[in-house]
Amino acid sequence: MNPLLSTAALPAFAQIRPEHIQPAIEALLEESRAALAEATDPATPADYDYLSATLGVATERFGAAWGSVGHLNAVANTPELREAYNAMLPPVTEFFTALGADEKLYAKYKAIASAPSAASLSPARQQALKNWLRDFVLSGAELQGEAKERFAAIQERAAELGQQFSEHVLDATDGFAYYASEAEMSGVPDDAKQAARSAAQADGKDEGYKLTLHFPSYLPVMQYGEDRALRERLYTAYVTRASDLAGKPEQDNTAIIEELLKLRQEEAAILGFANYAEASLVPKMADSPAQVLEFLRDLNRRARPFAEKDLAELREFAAKELGLSDLQVWDNAYASEKLKEARYAFSDQAVRQYFTVPRVLAGLFDIIERLFNVKISEQAAEVWHESVKFYRLERGGKLVGQFYLDLYARPGKRPGAWMDEVRSRWARPEGAQQTPVAQLVCNFSSPVGDKPALLSHDDVTTLFHEFGHGLHHLLTQVDELGVSGISGVEWDAVELPSQFMENFCWEWEVLQQLTAHVDSGEALPRELFDKMTAAKNFQSGLQTLRQIEFALFDMRLHAEPGSEAAVQALLDEVRAEVAVIPSPVFNRSQHSFSHIFAGGYSAGYYSYKWAELLSADAWSAFEVEGVFNAATGQRYLQNVLEVGGSRPAIESFKAFRGREPQIDALLRHQGMS
């Protein structure tokens, strides 16, 4: 039995092998093609239920199997798996491109929408139908002849390029190793040193410490390492990953970036848009590239004075206290940590000792259970790595959803953190109620020895962020596949629930539940918490400008046709406009900017700041009414999480807050009011 063809409720991750991929995906492709042929047959009625029962069932099964393959490719990558995945990527892309552009299928949905019976469809179905009609147009369903063929070819090539970009970043990250001496590791925290020593021993090294570009290895050196030359070495390797300066032409993403941008602008032109950014914004909350650019530049004007003050203080401290009169970018994290320790009398490393993974998870689960009236319990399931856990959510003894939790960094696992769906909530046409399943993935430091893994406060915030996405997917009460959970939610609003959850990490009552010192078991002391909150907005101006720089670069890159010929020059322009810290000429951060070149954030990276405005304003209701106020939690659950994408995000926000969003809360939360 091919595990990818199983109809079991959960994927058989432990059984899936590279040799299963081609036969399973080809079989499911044929099923989906047959379903599409039936759905578009003139004799087939233009009926919502009938199309769901035929095409919907087939493509959902196909999508779930391909999703499992893609997930394994991201978290358990091997040469064999990569080869099998890449072999099937073109036909899969070709099918879904053709599906979205099928004019006969488009005609069926237009007939459903124009029929008198459309008025009696549920609001969720009406929204899903509206989204589909919009997406058909954006997918080229109204194109004819050569334009349609070219559009399909662009989709296939873009998918191939995005995969190559991601592979290059993964290979460049995995491929770097530096074995540092004892002297070079001066200042690096003991737990990070122990992990580096264990990694070196695993490579057969009798001495030395293995350092990599994975964040749990990279960051402690940049933040605490006293050896300036070592910091420069790691920084240089990190910001030149997968670039023309990395010394590995086979991993250079330069040509991929140029071709992707060119293809995206061509795609937009075929659809009748002036640029790719215009096309990208059609299904988003923002109205136009001009509106986004004004939003970012307005935020830049507000944040810049704070960033300039942050930098002046850092430079003065570095010169007087650290002897760094010529502060360089590879010194910034180190000098910033020293300044924070001096100003607030604590270090991130001291805080880290209180955040053990078991304690943080227990506290996080308790918050979710109290606010949203669910119960979380660990369950057995097939997983892709021994460290992965699986959990069940239920309410009143009834299954609500399930999720996998993959916390630790390892070779073959894509960097970063994300939530992905295994399946969505759906009242299946066959009559069964399908409950949602999610994958929550992070890249934290693994446990060393017999002690539990430790998290920085930033790690804890990342974990809460991904759980916000997970809750959005898992707690939906919408039964319509196209708009349940995060499906159908505008891209620039999808970060609202994730960024909302981050706020819990700054509440005293919450941190009492999340913390227990790794040695003594004591909760975080109030004195240390007060120092943390005093430092909460430490360098918030600099951090805000950094995000604006990424977002402005992304939007301009996709709003200005011809940008592919001057990517570095455009980035230099953006940095000159926004950044107060000059980047070295060798910085090639765009070459590992996976969000916009291998993810879904092209012409959409602004979404983080856009949704941060929404989330800060949403959180202000909890600040007024109480962090654990059950009524506020239920109102948020019912008006935001449960409705998913079944209505425009702005309507969900206004239903919860009773008004339009306001920027005041965001500026106040970041100490810039």
Side-chain angles (χ1 to χ4, degrees):
M1 181 67 183
N2 189 318
L4 286 169
L5 295 175
S6 170
T7 56
L10 296 171
F13 283 118
Q15 299 177 40
I16 298 171
R17 300 287 180 268
E19 58 267 24
H20 294 137
I21 295 173
Q22 182 175 344
I25 298 305
E26 286 181 344
L28 294 172
L29 259 173
E30 283 307 306
E31 283 186 15
S32 294
R33 287 176 181 136
L36 177 60
E38 180 179 349
T40 55
D41 189 291
T44 298
D47 177 79
Y48 196 111
D49 286 314
Y50 190 86
L51 292 182
S52 293
T54 52
L55 186 59
V57 169
T59 55
E60 194 268 348
R61 184 186 180 201
F62 177 30
W66 183 243
S68 295
V69 175
H71 174 70
L72 290 175
N73 192 55
V75 298
N77 194 282
T78 64
E80 296 77 18
L81 178 62
R82 178 183 295 185
E83 182 181 3
Y85 175 83
N86 286 337
M88 294 311 299
L89 183 60
V92 171
T93 304
E94 181 183 7
F95 171 78
F96 282 112
T97 299
L99 180 71
D102 193 295
E103 57 192 79
K104 294 179 182 178
L105 186 61
Y106 180 36
K108 296 283 186 185
Y109 281 106
K110 284 196 292 186
I112 294 171
S114 61
S117 57
S120 62
L121 292 174
S122 69
R125 285 194 163 189
Q126 289 186 28
Q127 185 65 39
L129 190 56
K130 179 181 177 182
N131 291 352
W132 283 330
L133 293 176
R134 175 201 67 203
D135 293 343
F136 269 114
V137 175
L138 292 175
S139 297
E142 294 184 342
L143 300 175
Q144 299 293 325
E146 289 184 10
K148 197 180 192 74
E149 291 178 8
R150 179 57 186 157
F151 186 90
I154 288 173
Q155 305 311 303
E156 185 174 331
R157 179 59 178 160
E160 180 183 334
L161 290 170
Q163 172 62 10
Q164 289 177 12
F165 186 99
S166 183
E167 288 176 1
H168 290 173
V169 175
L170 175 61
D171 291 346
T173 304
D174 280 350
F176 176 89
Y178 177 72
Y179 296 91
S181 66
E182 178 71 36
E184 287 177 304
M185 295 293 283
S186 177
V188 178
D190 288 341
D191 55 344
K193 283 184 66 176
Q194 188 176 352
R197 181 72 199 106
S198 297
Q201 289 173 330
D203 285 354
K205 302 291 184 181
D206 294 331
E207 57 185 33
Y209 300 84
K210 182 180 181 180
L211 300 176
T212 74
L213 299 181
H214 289 283
F215 229 57
S217 176
Y218 173 80
L219 186 60
V221 177
M222 301 306 296
Q223 203 168 11
Y224 298 101
E226 295 171 356
D227 190 306
R228 196 181 191 192
L230 178 61
R231 296 198 304 267
E232 181 180 0
R233 178 190 293 270
L234 290 186
Y235 172 85
T236 303
Y238 192 83
V239 301
T240 57
R241 283 179 300 161
S243 79
D244 54 313
L245 299 180
K248 294 185 177 180
E250 71 278 8
Q251 295 174 0
D252 182 7
N253 275 333
T254 302
I256 290 176
I257 292 172
E258 293 175 1
E259 187 177 354
L260 266 174
L261 290 171
K262 191 173 182 179
L263 288 174
R264 287 171 179 173
Q265 298 294 7
E266 184 183 357
E267 172 189 330
I270 291 173
L271 292 174
F273 293 97
N275 55 67
Y276 181 82
E278 281 190 3
S280 174
L281 291 181
V282 171
K284 295 181 172 73
M285 288 180 71
D287 295 326
S288 67
Q291 183 190 20
V292 173
L293 293 171
E294 175 53 33
F295 164 71
L296 293 172
R297 285 174 168 140
D298 177 53
L299 194 54
N300 179 47
R301 286 190 290 270
R302 294 170 184 260
R304 191 174 188 84
F306 296 93
E308 290 172 340
K309 181 172 179 287
D310 290 341
L311 181 59
E313 291 173 346
L314 182 64
R315 284 177 170 163
E316 180 182 7
F317 175 84
K320 286 185 177 180
E321 304 299 330
L322 304 176
L324 295 172
S325 57
D326 61 333
L327 191 71
Q328 300 294 325
V329 285
W330 48 84
D331 301 320
N332 287 342
Y334 174 76
S336 294
E337 181 60 27
K338 293 297 184 185
L339 173 58
K340 186 164 64 174
E341 290 177 12
R343 180 179 294 175
Y344 304 105
F346 83 97
S347 72
D348 286 345
Q349 183 62 17
V351 172
R352 197 166 179 259
Q353 306 307 306
Y354 289 92
F355 290 108
T356 66
V357 164
R359 181 70 173 185
V360 170
L361 288 180
L364 170 59
F365 292 172
D366 181 68
I367 291 168
I368 294 169
E369 290 176 345
R370 290 170 64 182
L371 268 184
F372 305 126
N373 190 30
V374 293
K375 179 68 177 175
I376 301 175
S377 59
E378 186 174 349
Q379 303 283 309
E382 286 196 37
V383 294
W384 51 92
H385 189 267
E386 59 185 8
S387 65
V388 177
K389 304 293 185 184
F390 181 74
Y391 298 89
R392 170 188 175 98
L393 275 82
E394 58 183 44
R395 182 181 288 128
K398 185 178 179 181
L399 177 65
V400 173
Q402 297 158 296
F403 62 93
Y404 299 85
L405 187 59
D406 185 355
L407 292 178
Y408 306 116
R410 58 182 178 268
K413 182 179 178 183
R414 195 179 84 203
W418 64 92
M419 188 284 294
D420 205 354
E421 55 193 74
V422 179
R423 69 178 190 218
S424 299
R425 181 181 170 97
W426 189 22
R428 296 186 64 91
E430 308 96 316
Q433 177 65 56
Q434 179 169 290
T435 53
V437 181
Q439 295 150 342
L440 300 165
V441 183
C442 298
N443 270 280
F444 302 144
S445 297
S446 300
V448 178
D450 57 358
K451 288 190 175 183
L454 300 177
L455 303 179
S456 68
H457 188 253
D458 283 346
D459 290 339
V460 176
T461 304
T462 296
L463 182 64
F464 271 64
H465 179 106
E466 298 310 330
F467 261 89
H469 285 309
L471 293 172
H472 203 185
H473 178 66
L474 295 167
L475 296 182
T476 184
Q477 289 297 297
V478 178
D479 288 329
E480 192 56 42
L481 191 62
V483 289
S484 71
I486 63 171
S487 298
V489 177
E490 298 97 318
W491 198 264
D492 42 7
V494 80
E495 296 294 336
L496 189 166
S498 56
Q499 293 176 336
F500 168 86
M501 284 295 292
E502 294 181 22
N503 293 286
F504 284 102
C505 303
W506 291 101
E507 295 293 327
W508 169 244
E509 186 179 357
V510 171
L511 290 186
Q512 288 296 284
Q513 299 180 45
L514 297 182
T515 55
H517 194 280
V518 66
D519 294 322
S520 68
E522 295 178 359
L524 185 79
R526 180 73 200 208
E527 180 185 11
L528 187 50
F529 170 76
D530 289 341
K531 292 174 180 177
M532 290 170 60
T533 53
K536 177 184 178 183
N537 291 317
F538 177 66
Q539 296 184 344
S540 63
L542 287 173
Q543 293 166 9
T544 298
L545 290 197
R546 179 173 169 79
Q547 287 299 303
I548 293 172
E549 178 186 315
F550 291 152
L552 192 58
F553 170 63
D554 167 48
M555 185 52 63
R556 285 195 56 191
L557 205 59
H558 291 98
E560 300 175 15
S563 63
E564 72 278 357
V567 175
Q568 188 64 51
L570 192 150
L571 179 54
D572 292 341
E573 280 184 26
V574 170
R575 286 172 173 164
E577 177 182 356
V578 175
V580 294
I581 299 177
S583 291
V585 293
F586 61 78
N587 186 303
R588 296 289 189 272
S589 59
Q590 68 270 30
H591 287 73
S592 56
F593 200 174
S594 296
H595 276 77
I596 69 170
F597 294 119
Y601 283 86
S602 50
Y605 196 83
Y606 77 92
S607 300
Y608 283 103
K609 300 311 291 184
W610 187 278
E612 201 173 337
L613 186 158
L614 302 176
S615 65
D617 203 359
W619 179 254
S620 63
F622 284 80
E623 290 179 309
V624 172
E625 300 167 25
V627 173
F628 288 112
N629 186 302
T632 312
Q634 283 300 301
R635 200 166 77 246
Y636 176 73
L637 173 67
Q638 293 167 3
N639 289 304
V640 178
L641 298 181
E642 289 187 347
V643 299
S646 65
R647 65 184 178 192
I650 190 62
E651 291 184 18
S652 295
F653 180 90
K654 289 192 291 187
F656 172 60
R657 290 298 276 131
R659 56 166 173 74
E660 296 275 350
Q662 300 171 355
I663 197 172
D664 306 49
L666 171 62
L667 297 174
R668 176 170 51 82
H669 278 205
Q670 296 187 342
M672 295 189 293
S673 57

